[in-house]
Amino acid sequence: MNYNFYPGPSKLYPQVAGYFQEAIDLGILERNHRSDSFQELFSTTKSLLKSKLNIPLDYEIVVVSSATECWEIIAQSFILNKSYHFFNGAFGEKWWSYTQKIHSSSEAISFGLEENPTLQSVDKNAELLAFTHNETSNGTAILEQFQKQLRTKFPNSLIAYDATSSMAGYEFDWDLGDIWYASVQKCFGLPAGLAVMVVSPKALNQAKEINENEHYNSFNFIIKNAQNNQTHHTPNISNVFLLNRLMQNVENISAIHQNLVVRKDLFYNEIQKIKKLNSLVHSNEFQSDTVFCLKGEVDVVQKLKEEAEKEGIILGNGYGDLRDNTFRIANFPAIPNQHYIDLINFLLRFDKMN
Ligand SMILES: *Cc1c(COP(=O)(O)O)cnc(C)c1O
């Protein structure tokens, strides 16, 4: 058996091969991005995303190349002077450091693994507040309760969420954010090379006012094309096609998220029986529904990864500072339920034998 729990690039939906063949047979990969067939494809893909992920109809969807590109687009096109970046892990910190290269006064506010971000030092009229909805490096997520308070407390600010490892797994309350983005090689279960950016009317207006037009990927240029169902450069058409067919075939996000939560509860319950491993984060509310992070002695984690590999199980390495004493497990919808049962049995066996 082949098990892949890596949190990105992650296990592909098994249907991907068939969708790819269909794209080739249809000839869509040989059409240009201003053709009627591409425009039709892009337009239906956006509608399908809205209906399957419950995205508000007045939000706009654009496609770019990666989540990293979204960091740069946001810094270029949605921020005039400075943004505030809240993080408890490596991806959020990277977003801040990329932004700082463009806006040197952008502020970093770090917070602990089992707490909400602190808002005391934030200007009431801050332009943009940046959060990593799901911190892939340590398996924590922002609480919806916190998102609601944030929205109420900062009615004039744009709120941006990096949802790279949660979009297409979590059922979001989209109205609580103005910019949400994700690359598709994580929770979407597709090959790398495409990112989806979902933008509120308020963010659209702010970009218009800032009127930044200096770059090939200036947001105003991207959105002008997207509103005509075109893109600002030749996009990853195969990935747009895969996304289209995937969205046609998946259940509504509400059912998908519920199943992930059931798997998460089962997983963390069983993990309590394992003496040599602990959850990095103990309180259930801060634990991500889509990425699990477990901690152990360095030699135990090393041995575990070796044993797993022998059994055809790919686990996610620890990330950044947590590289040696943790490992990560994706809880993404493309991975079948049975794989988690097999994984838990493997972990229980490992614990008994070592
Ligand atoms: C993987 C990841 C990124 C980077 O994604 P790319 O597609 O490689 O640019 C950014 N943010 C988070 C939270 C991630 O998990």
Side-chain angles (χ1 to χ4, degrees), residues 1 16 25 30 94 132 213 239 244 263:
M1 265 295 251
V16 165
D25 295 344
E30 301 169 14
K94 266 194 204 173
T132 304
N213 287 298
N239 244 337
N244 182 293
R263 290 201 313 213

Side-chain angles (χ1 to χ4, degrees), residues 43-45 49 61 125 136 155 213 266 271 275 287 311 314 324 326 330 337:
S43 158
T44 55
T45 306
L49 278 166
I61 299 175
N125 291 310
T136 322
N213 287 298
L266 172 81
I271 286 308
K275 288 186 218 70
Q287 285 165 349
E311 303 216 13
I314 302 173
D324 295 328
T326 68
N337 291 345

Side-chain angles (χ1 to χ4, degrees), residues 18-34:
Y19 297 156
F20 213 102
Q21 187 62 53
E22 188 190 347
I24 289 177
D25 295 344
L26 286 172
I28 183 76
L29 306 185
E30 301 169 14
R31 302 288 149 67
N32 84 61
H33 60 293
R34 317 256 171 234

Side-chain angles (χ1 to χ4, degrees), residues 203-252:
L204 232 61
N205 284 339
Q206 183 150 324
K208 255 192 212 133
E209 272 171 33
I210 292 176
N211 196 27
E212 185 276 310
N213 287 298
E214 302 283 299
H215 304 274
Y216 87 96
N217 60 359
S218 292
F219 184 78
N220 289 318
F221 185 46
I222 297 177
I223 191 69
K224 208 170 105 194
N225 278 278
Q227 284 171 337
N228 292 321
N229 299 315
Q230 295 185 4
T231 51
H232 53 300
H233 61 75
T234 316
N236 188 332
I237 302 176
S238 22
N239 244 337
V240 175
F241 186 86
L242 299 179
L243 184 59
N244 182 293
R245 289 305 187 265
L246 182 68
M247 285 299 121
Q248 266 180 26
N249 287 291
V250 289
E251 288 178 287
N252 184 270

